[in-house]
Every structure is written in structure tokens, then in C-alpha cells.
Amino acid sequence: MDILLIAGLWLDGSAWDEVVPALEALGHRPVPLTLPGQGDGSASATFDDQVAAVVAAVDSAPGDVMVVGHSAACTLAWLAADARPERVAKVALIGGFPSADGQSYSDFFDIKDGAMPFPGWEPFEGPDSVDLDERARKAFADAAIPVPEAVVKGVVRLTDERRFDVPVAVVCPEYTPAQAREWMDAGDVAELPRAKHLDFVDIDSGHWPMITKPDELARLLAAAAPDA
């Protein structure tokens, strides 16, 4: 199956470099995306540009696809299901949950010079970054791409109720499936409580398993993928 891979904030398609060959070895066709404003050199990209790029990738696939979103990009994966519920066979959400209609995409940190730069490791101390050594942290920070303000402050628009028919795999890295269920039961997670087919998958990692546990992540995604 074609598996679209969408990394979260500050990352481009190269975040999946070690996951791609592992998925290929398992018989799938991974397609890592470099989003507008996150690696293509555009400083004027908008959130709508990113959504359009993801939907275009779905449209260009030869058949049905699984769309994988990481962190903030879980919202982009969910928007793909909203835009193309008949083409998205499954959504996998790694370390995040989709925003609700009308919410901003990812306006989490300070804006500087028209973009949101990586804020350093202090906000991610603890379970998020526990499995990243100093070398990995430096490599991440050095490569981090400031995300244009018009991306992070974009407004999420969901329009098709058929998105709730698309099966969802919730991949839980720095938290457990039990915690994810608790957040849903408490009303802290938008959208997913209405999903009709929901599975939880545990991976013992920090927030970036594509960096720290790429082979295990590939196996989990391959196992979650529906038959092509």
C-alpha cells in the first residue's frame, strides 16, 4: 500500500529517512512528504498550502492510501481523510491528535521574523525527549526549519462527516494507550471520540520514534496498514 508520511513541526520529508527503507522491506510504498514552508524554501506558505499538498499526494497515488501524521501533522492526516474519505483507507496518528474545526493548526510557540522557530529542548524535557542523546538533539535543532506564521496560525476546516468512517490507528509514543483513552473519555481530545474504527498501538519511545525507533515504527505502521 502507498503510505504517506507527514512529519510534524520543524521537520521535512527527510525525518522519515530510516523508516522508508524499513517499510519498503515490508512490502509497502512509503511516500515522505516535504510540506510547503517546511523544507521547500518557501517562507510565505500557508496552512491551506500544506493541506493542498497532502490532498494532492493522496490524489496522485495509484490506489487507496494510508496517511500517517506525526505530532501537529496528525491534523493534516485527518484533513486528508476529511477531503478524500473514499481514498484514505486508514489514518495513523503518531504522538498527537487532530484539531477540531475552527481551531488554529499549531500556534504553540513564539513567532520570530514571520515564523515559529524550534524553541529549544526545554519545552520537551521529560518523556518527549528522553530517548534522544545529545548528538541527536543537536542534529535535530541544527536541521529544524522555522514554520511560517501563516501555517501555524491557519484555521482548521472540516466538512465531511464521512471522515469518521475512516479507520484510525493511534500510535502512542511518550504516553500510553491507557492515557490516550483517558484523555478521550475526559473530553480533552477532539474528533477521535466520534471515529467508528479506532485502534491504539503502543511504542516505547519519546515523541520522535521515526528518529529513535524507525524499524519498530515501520513494523507497527505495516501491521496497521489495511490490505491493499
Side-chain angles (χ1 to χ4, degrees):
M1 167 163 285
D2 286 272
I3 300 178
L4 304 185
L5 302 168
I6 316 168
L9 299 173
W10 312 297
L11 300 171
D12 61 15
S14 67
W16 305 97
D17 279 357
E18 293 188 55
V19 177
V20 165
L23 278 173
E24 289 173 340
L26 294 167
H28 293 284
R29 297 179 297 276
V31 181
L33 301 186
T34 289
L35 298 169
Q38 284 181 232
D40 70 341
S42 172
S44 60
T46 67
F47 178 60
D48 288 344
D49 292 334
Q50 292 200 348
V51 175
V54 173
V55 173
V58 173
D59 289 343
S60 66
D64 292 348
V65 300
M66 181 165 86
V67 183
V68 179
H70 165 255
S71 193
C74 289
T75 296
L76 290 171
W78 191 237
L79 281 163
D82 181 72
R84 297 292 186 269
E86 71 286 354
R87 293 290 313 281
V88 176
K90 195 161 190 176
V91 170
L93 308 174
I94 303 170
F97 306 98
S99 298
D101 181 69
Q103 291 184 335
S104 64
Y105 171 50
S106 56
D107 188 12
F108 302 138
F109 301 103
D110 291 342
I111 301 295
K112 297 179 182 178
D113 299 323
M116 189 175 72
F118 178 63
W121 289 107
E122 185 176 352
F124 303 106
E125 288 301 335
D128 282 346
S129 60
V130 67
D131 56 350
L132 289 168
D133 60 22
E134 287 306 314
R135 181 177 178 181
R137 290 181 182 216
K138 185 177 186 306
F140 184 106
D142 288 348
I145 302 162
V147 183
E149 181 176 10
V151 170
V152 299
K153 292 188 176 181
V155 177
V156 175
R157 296 299 181 198
L158 296 160
T159 61
D160 196 326
E161 296 280 301
R162 291 179 297 165
R163 66 186 179 276
F164 298 115
D165 296 325
V166 177
V168 180
V170 180
V171 181
C172 305
E174 72 270 22
Y175 47 85
T176 66
Q179 288 175 304
R181 290 188 181 97
E182 288 174 6
W183 297 332
M184 288 177 58
D185 292 343
D188 297 330
V189 174
E191 290 290 301
L192 291 190
R194 296 181 63 191
K196 297 176 183 177
H197 313 282
L198 194 60
D199 295 315
F200 294 85
V201 182
D202 196 18
I203 183 169
D204 185 14
S205 77
H207 188 62
W208 293 273
M210 71 279 280
I211 296 173
T212 59
K213 293 202 172 177
D215 292 336
E216 183 178 347
L217 180 60
R219 289 193 296 271
L220 291 176
L221 293 176
D227 294 334

